[in-house]
Amino acid sequence: KITLKGDHENGTAVHIDGNANANSVVDIDAGILDIDTTAGVNINAGSASNFTTASGLLTLEGGSGITLTSTDGSLTLNGTGQTVTINSAALDVNASAGVTIDGTTLSIDSTDTTNLTMTANAASTKTMTISASNSEASNVANMDVDADGAITIDSGLGLSLDAGAASNLTTSAGSLTLDGASGVNIQGNASEIDITTSSTLDINAGAVTIDSDNTIQITSTNALSLTDGTATLQLGGTGATTLSGSTTVDIDSTGNMALNSSAGTINIANDNVDQTVNIATGGSRNLNIGINDGTDVTTLNVKGNTTHTGTITVGQDDTGYDVKLFGATSGASMLWDQSDNKLVVTGTSGQTALHV
């Protein structure tokens, strides 16, 4: 056993100097090298240096922490072919420039509330990018975001979800809500927009406008109702409006019903189909046709045979109208002249044959 002891109580007590030349070496070999100090230990070198174990662990332990400092160049933790494990109550990585973590796989796990945050303070817009790609041409890289609770995405500006193939937003339970403060736009571009449900489709709005450059078709396997509430139900357009049914088309109203044309003919049963046309064939009704107020005159033209099974009344008491019947020979007629209160029969020669 050799003991080197210095009793100097302030300053250098023992000095081992092997610095006669840059190639001078101080070599200490031991089974175990134990250096104890009551204060700090300083080891300084003028060039690259290493602490190496041929086997076993190399442990650096500080009672109040460990500081690894690189004053120039990079600070490298090299675990090539090995696993680098960092265990701590908290891990704080601060860098004045970028932080890069590369690996064949990367796993960030935590057992408590966690965040990935960018707090930029720059004059230009900054972007946080989470990207997955696969440079092998026959495969792709997927990104899977799972949570057994809620996933919340908030944006101070717009939110864009873009996909290069068919996509879906699906809930296994509960409603799916799309809510836009200034509206919701659903675009199918040149393809079909399909809204499918086995239950009820309910559209509630202040106003509903459906525009199409082509045909609009509404089909129901059961009853189809268009209801206007207390407002007006209007079918309008510059083209034809057609209501057709394979069985019956029934138009019913609890109030007045008007069928008018502001600039054209009103046609009823003029499609050259040999069927019966029934008007007021049920119940007790007054059927009013035409008006004769001295200004507007309605002319009723009936072509073909006419059969009446009830009383025919022209005018009313103290108000009569002319009624004229023609014969098969030119000039022959019979006239009820309401102004003279006479029945005038005109013969075949045009002469009056009988006054009654």
Side-chain angles (χ1 to χ4, degrees):
K1 179 178 180 180
I2 298 175
T3 300
L4 297 177
K5 181 180 180 183
D7 293 329
H8 199 294
E9 296 182 355
N10 187 13
T12 302
V14 176
H15 179 72
I16 300 175
D17 190 345
N19 196 27
N21 186 278
N23 293 322
S24 299
V25 176
V26 175
D27 187 8
I28 302 175
D29 295 320
I32 297 174
L33 177 62
D34 188 4
I35 300 176
D36 295 320
T37 66
T38 57
V41 175
N42 292 323
I43 300 175
N44 298 315
S47 61
S49 306
N50 68 81
F51 284 88
T52 305
T53 62
S55 63
L57 298 176
L58 175 62
T59 301
L60 298 178
E61 182 176 346
S64 298
I66 295 175
T67 300
L68 299 176
T69 302
S70 174
T71 58
D72 188 13
S74 299
L75 176 61
T76 302
L77 297 177
N78 189 348
T80 302
Q82 305 294 320
T83 300
V84 176
T85 301
I86 301 176
N87 294 318
S88 65
L91 176 62
D92 187 7
V93 179
N94 293 317
S96 59
V99 175
T100 301
I101 302 175
D102 296 319
T104 55
T105 60
L106 175 64
S107 178
I108 301 177
D109 302 314
S110 68
T111 59
D112 207 339
T113 301
T114 307
N115 67 81
L116 184 62
T117 305
M118 179 181 71
T119 55
N121 184 14
S124 60
T125 300
K126 301 299 180 181
T127 301
M128 177 185 288
T129 301
I130 301 176
S131 177
S133 62
N134 190 340
S135 59
E136 204 280 321
S138 61
N139 291 287
V140 297
N142 296 325
M143 184 178 294
D144 188 10
V145 179
D146 293 322
D148 59 6
I151 295 177
T152 302
I153 301 175
D154 295 319
S155 172
L157 294 176
L159 174 64
S160 295
L161 295 176
D162 299 318
S167 307
N168 68 82
L169 293 176
T170 306
T171 64
S172 59
S175 298
L176 176 63
T177 301
L178 299 178
D179 189 349
S182 299
V184 176
N185 297 324
I186 300 176
Q187 296 183 1
N189 298 313
S191 299
E192 177 181 304
I193 296 178
D194 188 7
I195 301 176
T196 302
T197 178
S198 59
S199 185
T200 302
L201 176 62
D202 188 8
I203 301 176
N204 295 315
V208 177
T209 301
I210 301 176
D211 296 321
S212 174
D213 294 333
N214 207 322
T215 303
I216 297 177
Q217 181 175 341
I218 301 176
T219 303
S220 174
T221 57
N222 208 326
L224 175 62
S225 299
L226 297 177
T227 305
D228 64 346
T230 58
T232 300
L233 177 63
Q234 181 176 349
L235 298 177
T238 57
T241 299
T242 302
L243 296 177
S244 62
S246 59
T247 54
T248 302
V249 176
D250 186 9
I251 301 177
D252 192 7
S253 174
T254 58
N256 295 329
M257 183 179 297
L259 180 62
N260 296 304
S261 175
S262 60
T265 302
I266 298 176
N267 296 316
I268 298 176
N270 69 332
D271 55 355
N272 196 22
V273 176
D274 296 335
Q275 295 290 343
T276 301
V277 177
N278 297 319
I279 300 177
T281 58
S284 299
R285 303 176 184 272
N286 291 324
L287 182 60
N288 299 318
I289 300 176
I291 185 172
N292 188 4
D293 59 2
T295 301
D296 296 321
V297 178
T298 300
T299 300
L300 179 63
N301 295 320
V302 179
K303 298 179 180 181
N305 298 329
T306 303
T307 301
H308 297 271
T309 59
T311 301
I312 297 177
T313 302
V314 179
Q316 60 186 7
D317 187 24
D318 197 32
T319 302
Y321 297 95
D322 291 345
V323 177
K324 191 171 186 178
L325 304 175
F326 289 96
T329 303
S330 177
S333 66
M334 182 174 65
L335 170 67
W336 169 255
D337 188 344
Q338 61 89 22
S339 61
D340 289 338
N341 295 319
K342 292 181 179 181
L343 180 62
V344 180
V345 179
T346 302
T348 57
S349 62
Q351 300 298 317
T352 300
L354 176 65
H355 277 191
V356 178

